[in-house]
Amino acid sequence: MAGPTPKVLLIEDEASQRALLSYNLQAEGFAVVEAGDGEEGLLLVEEEAPDLILLDWMLPGLSGIEVCRRLKTRTETRAVPIIMLSARSEEVDRVRGLETGADDYMVKPYSLAELMARVRAHLRRSRPAAVGERLEFEDLLLDPETHRVARGGAEIKVGPTEFRLLTTFMERPGRVWSREQLLDRVWGRDIYVDTRTVDVHVGRLRKALTAHGHDDPIRTVRGAGYSLG
Ligand code: CA
């Protein structure tokens, strides 16, 4: 994959279902984070910044509908695609599911192949760089296939880490990323890197992007992190 691996959050209380889905998602090449209930799911959305959420309808405590509604009313999570999984097939459920803002809906028992196809389809829209599509933000252009960055038509040289950072920023302009989230996304969760390293590389990226007298497109959000635009 050209960009950082897409991350799927799986919110499902049944351990066997969770294991099955997790196995299949990983076999498709996705990183998977698992939650056993809605509360934990909401927490993990903040900590892990998933690219897509598979959300079970019937959960202990907070229902899947409520989790969906909360995520879709928050600016920073609204764009994350949610596929709801339900054991109930009544049309009313489908309608309610869509009213909560869920992007898609599948009734159990569903075909795993179809679910994976839908996951890929939603990720193509939410994580275009991961499937090789060019990204644009104002006068910035990034091509994940050729690893080229241009601003105002002129090529900009960036290192591999800065390229991954910029990819992350450009896939979701306006989204504020914490240093921990950037570490996880750009460096990978298994590598130990100090959060100050993030500041160093954001600094290098800024220097490259502003080299020809351009404005700095990266915003530092005090106490929160960084965002593009
Ligand atoms: Ca359930």
Side-chain angles (χ1 to χ4, degrees):
M1 245 172 244
T5 310
K7 188 190 284 180
V8 176
L9 170 62
L10 180 56
I11 309 176
E12 161 73 76
D13 58 316
E14 285 162 59
S16 59
Q17 275 287 318
R18 217 165 53 226
L20 177 73
L21 286 173
S22 179
Y23 174 85
N24 280 277
L25 289 163
Q26 288 178 56
E28 292 278 326
F30 304 126
V32 182
V33 187
E34 299 176 32
D37 61 52
E39 299 276 359
E40 191 189 0
L42 287 174
L43 211 72
L44 286 178
V45 171
E46 274 184 34
E47 286 176 3
E48 303 278 349
D51 301 301
L52 182 139
I53 300 167
L54 288 183
L55 177 58
D56 184 27
W57 186 285
M58 295 293 282
L59 292 168
L62 266 188
S63 71
I65 305 167
E66 185 53 30
V67 172
C68 185
R69 191 175 284 133
R70 288 192 193 183
L71 292 174
K72 290 299 182 186
T73 52
R74 293 211 307 243
T75 321
E76 61 276 22
T77 53
R78 188 176 296 149
V80 183
I82 297 178
I83 302 179
M84 290 213 64
L85 310 171
S86 172
R88 296 187 288 170
S89 60
E90 288 85 5
E91 193 63 20
V92 63
D93 281 356
R94 173 177 291 268
V95 173
R96 284 174 68 201
L98 297 174
E99 276 177 354
T100 62
D103 301 84
D104 211 339
Y105 188 95
M106 291 201 80
V107 176
K108 299 176 187 177
Y110 44 76
S111 139
L112 267 175
E114 192 187 342
L115 177 60
M116 293 305 149
R118 292 201 196 177
V119 168
R120 279 194 301 273
H122 285 286
L123 283 172
R124 250 196 299 284
R125 272 181 278 142
S126 66
R127 287 293 315 280
V131 290
E133 285 182 34
R134 277 157 53 125
L135 304 177
E136 279 184 63
F137 174 75
E138 294 177 353
D139 58 350
L140 266 170
L141 203 68
L142 180 147
D143 188 334
E145 305 231 292
T146 58
H147 269 240
R148 288 211 163 131
V149 177
R151 188 158 193 201
E155 190 171 354
I156 290 172
K157 295 274 176 210
V158 295
T161 305
E162 287 71 37
F163 185 84
R164 289 200 300 276
L165 255 178
L166 185 59
T167 302
T168 300
F169 284 136
M170 285 183 74
E171 279 190 323
R172 290 205 216 157
R175 186 199 189 289
V176 179
W177 296 86
S178 71
R179 289 167 177 81
E180 288 75 17
Q181 287 168 342
L182 288 172
L183 271 182
D184 195 19
R185 173 61 75 78
V186 175
W187 281 262
R189 55 170 43 216
D190 300 327
I191 296 167
Y192 178 77
V193 186
D194 195 275
T195 50
R196 278 170 298 183
T197 307
V198 176
D199 300 330
V200 171
H201 286 275
V202 168
R204 282 185 198 159
L205 178 59
R206 277 182 156 142
K207 202 173 164 203
L209 295 178
T210 57
H212 304 292
H214 290 291
D215 290 341
D216 183 359
I218 299 171
R219 198 159 56 94
T220 304
V221 185
R222 269 180 76 99
Y226 297 104
S227 85
L228 178 70

